[in-house]
Amino acid sequence: MQDEEAVDSSDSMNVTDIVLQSSSPKLSHKQDYIFHGGRRHVRPYYFEFISHVNKRWTGKTIVDLFADEFKGRPRDYYVGAVKSGRIKVDGETVPVSYIVKSSQKITHFLHRLHEPPVMTDDVEILLKEPDVVTVCKPASIPVHPCGQYRKNTVVGILDAEHDLGPLFPIHRLDRLVSGLLIIARTAAKADFFRQQIEGGLVKKRYIAKVIGVFPEDEKVVDANINYNGSEGRSTAEDASSSGDDQKVKGKPACTKFTRIDTNGTHSLVLCEPVTGRTHQIRVHLQYTGHPIANDPLYLTQHVDDLETKIAKRIDAGERKLVSPDDYVYSSEDFSIDPMCTNCPKLIPQGYEEHDEALWLHCIRYSGTGWEYECPYPSWASL
């Protein structure tokens, strides 16, 4: 169940008067989007989150469960949501003192957390076949619904603008990574790709723009990747450098790097990951001493100050584009919900990030009997 932000429960709206969008066969429609300030926004809508009572939740009151587990909203909100029927147990309205039992279904009906904006770059279709579609994914857009994103995803945009759905993504690119994305149009084709991926038959190629003069000879990095979910970043550890009495952390990971070009300040590097760990290419490039030149997560402390400024560049004009105060409610855009903490603002509460395209781009995937490619991005020229 998604943890949402705090709201004022002093007023409420009858749930029966609200259209539930999760019941629609289409994920998105063209009219769901608002283009403003160089960003693609999603008109806020109602959504029903579903969860089941786990062992830790068993024995708590329905209000205590939400107040303890989803701290983004005040306790008073959850009291109001239970009383108004926005929070139900097994489809029934319950009193605030109700004690939940194992495996019960809990639904939380709310004004969907206003989705964060993404860049307005088009999701370019490269190839459309009866059972496969390949696209060039822009940076800043997630592949599929996750976290705060649902309609502002590659899958959502393709459904809205090209009536392509349902779709079955067979691999994932991080939100800030651009490039080739292969999407199956049938479950059978998705299974075909997954079998080849799981069988180690798929070869992947990326390009990255890194700091400094990357070594001319091919370089293979074989270093475990340890992902820290609470920090949202990975670290690399060379298994051969650890003593016999020291346990190596993380999962085995291997990436092959080949320099394509260099101008003395930056290098363009071909990256061929053998495994697929979280942030593998980014952290392995950092491990070589040549991190991606605009990667704020993995730039080392020894990077020239100019490069640090490039990576974290947010001038006053760009900051204004994503300010929550920059675009507020208009009756022509969406209907406000008196219980929603984001309304009347369109941008989610606390959203202040500025997305730049990470200089990492997927250019090719190939397997047994197939190969798909994507053009180079503009930043790939030195």
Side-chain angles (χ1 to χ4, degrees):
M1 185 173 291
Q2 183 76 18
D3 187 3
E4 306 295 347
E5 75 295 344
V7 297
D8 179 5
S9 60
S10 59
D11 196 1
S12 62
M13 188 180 296
N14 192 331
V15 175
T16 59
D17 296 334
I18 299 170
V19 176
L20 178 63
Q21 293 204 20
S22 62
S23 61
S24 172
K26 275 183 67 67
L27 177 59
S28 307
H29 299 80
K30 287 184 178 180
Q31 61 268 28
D32 292 337
Y33 300 96
I34 300 172
F35 295 88
H36 173 80
R39 293 291 185 272
R40 177 194 292 264
H41 301 267
V42 174
R43 299 179 193 273
Y45 55 95
Y46 289 94
F47 195 79
E48 188 173 47
F49 290 94
I50 300 174
S51 186
H52 290 84
V53 177
N54 58 38
K55 184 177 180 180
R56 188 178 71 249
W57 296 356
T58 302
K60 291 186 177 184
T61 68
I62 186 67
V63 172
D64 284 345
L65 186 161
F66 277 89
D68 293 345
E69 301 292 335
F70 306 105
K71 300 181 185 297
R73 293 173 180 249
R75 184 183 183 86
D76 287 347
Y77 163 78
Y78 294 121
V79 171
V82 172
K83 289 181 176 179
S84 67
R86 290 201 177 195
I87 293 177
K88 293 184 177 182
V89 179
D90 288 336
E92 301 292 334
T93 300
V94 297
V96 295
S97 59
Y98 183 84
I99 296 176
V100 299
K101 303 175 184 65
S102 178
S103 299
Q104 286 185 309
K105 184 176 77 172
I106 298 177
T107 55
H108 187 189
F109 185 88
L110 44 74
H111 209 218
R112 165 77 176 180
L113 177 65
H114 297 211
E115 294 192 28
V118 299
M119 295 179 181
T120 57
D121 297 343
D122 290 335
V123 178
E124 179 187 357
I125 294 179
L126 302 172
L127 180 68
K128 185 163 67 172
E129 299 176 331
D131 53 1
V132 177
V133 60
T134 65
V135 302
C136 183
K137 182 187 102 62
S140 87
I141 305 177
V143 172
H144 51 72
C146 57
Q148 298 182 12
Y149 299 87
R150 189 168 179 268
K151 296 175 183 287
N152 247 353
T153 59
V154 171
V155 171
I157 293 170
L158 288 175
D159 190 22
E161 298 184 349
H162 300 280
D163 286 326
L164 287 173
L167 296 172
F168 305 85
I170 56 99
H171 68 105
R172 187 178 66 87
L173 298 178
D174 286 345
R175 190 173 64 85
L176 293 182
V177 176
S178 59
L180 176 67
L181 189 64
I182 305 170
I183 305 174
R185 301 181 67 181
T186 65
K189 194 64 175 181
D191 188 57
F192 164 80
F193 283 121
R194 290 193 185 102
Q195 287 182 19
Q196 291 209 7
I197 292 173
E198 292 171 0
L201 303 176
V202 175
K203 296 181 179 180
K204 300 164 279 187
R205 286 191 169 192
Y206 292 73
I207 56 169
K209 190 175 183 178
V210 306
I211 288 174
V213 179
F214 199 84
E216 185 174 5
D217 296 334
E218 178 183 284
K219 187 172 184 62
V220 177
V221 176
D222 193 354
N224 282 26
I225 297 293
N226 184 30
Y227 180 69
N228 187 321
S230 61
E231 295 183 1
R233 58 181 296 160
S234 296
T235 53
E237 180 180 355
D238 188 348
S240 63
S241 66
S242 300
D244 294 337
D245 58 344
Q246 185 177 1
K247 184 178 179 180
V248 178
K249 298 180 180 179
K251 299 178 180 180
C254 180
T255 313
K256 182 173 70 174
F257 298 107
T258 307
R259 191 180 80 189
I260 299 173
D261 195 10
T262 184
N263 61 6
T265 302
H266 296 112
S267 296
L268 195 63
V269 178
L270 175 66
C271 315
E272 298 176 270
V274 179
T275 51
R277 311 302 183 192
T278 302
H279 293 184
Q280 176 177 320
I281 295 175
R282 298 166 69 180
V283 74
H284 273 180
L285 283 169
Q286 181 200 42
Y287 188 80
T288 68
H290 299 275
I292 295 173
N294 71 338
D295 190 344
L297 258 187
Y298 296 107
L299 283 170
T300 65
Q301 296 179 350
H302 304 293
V303 173
D304 183 83
D305 185 60
L306 176 62
E307 298 296 346
T308 304
K309 288 180 180 178
I310 291 175
K312 297 181 178 179
R313 184 178 68 243
I314 305 175
D315 63 32
E318 290 171 332
R319 186 184 303 276
K320 182 179 179 181
L321 289 179
V322 295
S323 168
D325 295 321
D326 185 49
Y327 196 54
V328 297
Y329 162 70
S330 166
S331 59
E332 297 179 356
D333 293 331
F334 64 95
S335 299
I336 62 171
D337 183 336
M339 290 186 71
C340 178
T341 189
N342 284 312
C343 291
K345 297 173 183 177
L346 180 60
I347 295 176
Q349 183 180 18
Y351 181 82
E352 297 178 352
E353 294 182 2
H354 172 73
D355 289 333
E356 291 192 28
L358 188 68
W359 287 341
L360 179 62
H361 184 87
C362 180
I363 58 170
R364 181 187 300 171
Y365 262 62
S366 60
T368 304
W370 59 271
E371 178 179 291
Y372 297 104
E373 294 187 348
C374 184
Y376 277 30
S378 59
W379 52 257
S381 173
L382 295 179

